[in-house]
């Protein structure tokens, strides 16, 4: 089961895009003091051991392993003292990565033009899965292009969304080879 920020067992709302205020109130000043920001949170319940994954971000540089270690250590202590998460859980702190999940409409807005994979809770035009570039965001309505057709979706209906990176443009993959035309024998 994949849950996002607001679905933590201590959340006051069950909506998947609602940010839990207690956890946000703990994280925001901690991350700000470290020059970092909160990108999003995943909570994945498990039998006997759940997973709490916190994504951190920073402007003007990449998130380092040291950033993740520091946040993990500091956040772990805060969570132990405030006891916000019932039962046993594993805390992971990570950068969002190039294939980052998008948690908020604002994050969609910042990534207009990027290609995304979107899974919906309720079908739109008979589909629950879409992939294409983000063309616009107005309030909580996100529009992407799928197969040349614009498709609008309300942010509240999005189960998960992730950037589909262009690894060639990022210099992380070789450009695909173009097929060479076959030479035909000339008739004499």
């Amino acid at each position: 089961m994949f849950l996002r920020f607001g679905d933590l067992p201590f959340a006051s709302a069950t909506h998947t895009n609602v940010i839990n205020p207690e956890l946000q109130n703990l994280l925001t000043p901690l991350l700000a003091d470290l020059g970092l920001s909160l990108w999003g949170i995943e909570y994945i319940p498990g039998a006997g051991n759940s997973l709490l994954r916190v994504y951190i971000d920073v402007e003007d540089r990449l998130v380092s392993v040291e950033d993740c270690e520091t946040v993990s250590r500091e956040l772990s202590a805060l969570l132990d003292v405030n006891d916000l998460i019932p039962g046993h859980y594993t805390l992971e702190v990570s950068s969002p990565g190039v294939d980052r999940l998008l948690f908020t409409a604002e994050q969609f807005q910042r990534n207009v033009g990027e290609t995304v994979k979107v899974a919906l809770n309720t079908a739109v035009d008979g589909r629950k899965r879409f992939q294409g570039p983000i063309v616009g965001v107005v309030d909580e309505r996100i529009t992407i292009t799928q197969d040349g057709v614009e498709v609008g979706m309300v942010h509240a209906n999005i189960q998960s969304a992730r950037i589909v990176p262009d690894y060639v443009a990022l210099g992380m993959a070789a450009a695909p080879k173009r097929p060479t035309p076959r030479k035909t024998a000339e008739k004499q």
Side-chain angles (χ1 to χ4, degrees):
M1 177 189 247
F2 175 81
L3 301 171
R4 291 194 287 172
F5 210 93
D7 287 332
L8 295 168
F10 51 86
S12 59
T14 58
H15 195 276
T16 59
N17 296 317
V18 176
I19 294 176
N20 179 277
E22 291 176 272
L23 189 52
Q24 184 179 18
N25 289 340
L26 281 177
L27 281 167
T28 302
L30 167 67
L31 294 173
D33 287 348
L34 298 170
L36 303 166
S37 62
L38 177 64
W39 183 261
I41 294 179
E42 287 179 293
Y43 179 76
I44 304 165
N49 197 31
S50 299
L51 173 65
L52 177 65
R53 186 175 293 133
V54 176
Y55 294 98
I56 59 174
D57 205 9
V58 64
E59 289 186 36
D60 302 327
R61 66 176 177 85
L62 297 174
V63 173
S64 69
V65 171
E66 292 78 17
D67 292 329
C68 294
E69 289 173 346
T70 301
V71 171
S72 179
R73 187 174 44 255
E74 298 289 327
L75 180 55
S76 182
L78 281 174
L79 289 172
D80 287 346
V81 168
N82 291 280
D83 198 26
L84 291 177
I85 302 173
H88 297 284
Y89 64 92
T90 299
L91 172 64
E92 287 183 7
V93 177
S94 175
S95 77
V98 294
D99 62 341
R100 57 189 54 206
L101 289 166
L102 299 177
F103 292 92
T104 66
E106 179 183 296
Q107 290 170 348
F108 278 89
Q109 180 65 48
R110 284 191 270 172
N111 287 283
V112 166
E114 296 288 337
T115 298
V116 291
K117 277 187 182 180
V118 179
L120 301 177
N121 294 309
T122 305
V124 170
D125 296 334
R127 299 177 66 161
K128 283 188 164 186
R129 299 192 183 283
F130 294 90
Q131 181 171 328
I134 304 167
V135 267
V137 179
V138 177
D139 297 323
E140 293 289 310
R141 186 161 184 79
I142 292 117
T143 304
I144 69 168
T145 301
Q146 171 79 45
D147 301 325
V149 177
E150 286 192 1
V151 179
M153 55 199 70
V154 179
H155 185 256
N157 188 29
I158 296 175
Q159 180 183 31
S160 65
R162 180 180 294 278
I163 296 286
V164 178
D166 181 348
Y167 290 110
V168 173
L170 292 169
M172 300 171 78
K177 293 182 181 178
R178 292 184 178 185
T180 55
R182 292 185 179 194
K183 295 181 180 180
T184 58
E186 290 184 23
K187 295 182 180 179
Q188 300 199 1

